């Protein structure tokens, strides 16, 4: 059985770290990942006890580069699916700026993102909003 939403973005956020994975739902395999846990990313940040939108944007940029290397920036023509509403509900209201920072960073770096079941009226203040002022 082939899943229509084959490639899905999954975000994991804690007080100290941000991890973004793209999962191939056909076989349950993580295609690529980027995280502030990685030394190369962690050493370039001043994350301290809390990761901010700047760290989330950098994770998005690194993930986008890795997707391009794999040739999956367009999700094999179907796009990378992201359920923003679900991610914000899981992470909490305060983390929505970080969620949008990752998604906007992926979009700005040429990755095709499809927002699933997203109602812009629910979060109209943050949809496609620049995260520069929230660093």
């Amino acid at each position: 059985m082939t899943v229509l939403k084959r490639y899905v973005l999954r975000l994991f956020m804690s007080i100290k770290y941000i991890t973004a994975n793209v999962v191939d739902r056909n076989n349950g395999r993580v295609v690529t990942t980027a995280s502030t846990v990685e030394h190369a990313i962690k050493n370039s940040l001043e994350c301290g006890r809390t990761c901010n939108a700047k760290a989330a944007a950098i994770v998005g940029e690194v993930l986008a580069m890795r997707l391009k290397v794999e040739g999956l920036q367009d999700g094999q023509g179907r796009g990378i699916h992201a359920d923003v509403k679900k991610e914000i509900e899981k992470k909490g209201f305060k983390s929505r700026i970080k969620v949008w920072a990752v998604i906007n960073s992926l979009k700005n770096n040429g990755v095709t993102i499809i927002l699933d079941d997203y109602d812009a009226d629910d979060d109209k203040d943050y949809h496609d909003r620049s995260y520069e002022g929230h660093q």
Side-chain angles (χ1 to χ4, degrees), residues 7-129:
Y7 296 102
V8 180
L9 176 69
R10 294 285 183 241
L11 300 174
F12 303 94
M13 295 181 188
S14 70
I15 292 173
K16 291 179 74 175
Y17 302 111
I18 298 170
T19 301
N21 297 328
V22 173
V23 178
D24 181 348
R25 291 183 58 196
N26 279 354
N27 59 20
R29 181 178 72 94
V30 173
V31 177
T32 189
T33 187
S35 177
T36 55
V37 175
E38 299 173 37
H39 287 10
I41 296 174
K42 184 166 48 169
N43 291 341
S44 69
L45 296 173
E46 295 176 13
C47 221
R49 294 269 315 152
T50 59
C51 286
N52 55 17
K54 182 178 179 182
I58 290 171
V59 167
E61 287 177 34
V62 172
L63 187 67
M65 286 188 291
R66 291 177 181 170
L67 284 167
K68 288 179 182 180
V69 168
E70 295 287 328
L72 295 173
Q73 67 271 13
D74 64 350
Q76 291 184 337
R78 297 184 212 156
I80 308 292
H81 291 265
D83 191 340
V84 176
K85 190 173 184 179
K86 179 181 172 184
E87 294 293 341
I88 290 172
E89 286 174 2
K90 282 192 326 186
K91 308 316 178 265
F93 184 75
K94 291 181 180 180
S95 292
R96 71 178 170 175
I97 293 170
K98 292 184 233 180
V99 171
W100 278 115
V102 172
I103 290 172
N104 286 336
S105 182
L106 286 167
K107 282 182 182 179
N108 292 339
N109 285 286
V111 175
T112 304
I113 298 288
I114 298 169
L115 302 178
D116 295 336
D117 301 329
Y118 182 71
D119 184 10
D121 292 334
D122 290 346
D123 200 18
K124 63 185 171 188
D125 294 334
Y126 289 91
H127 182 61
D128 289 333
R129 183 174 170 182

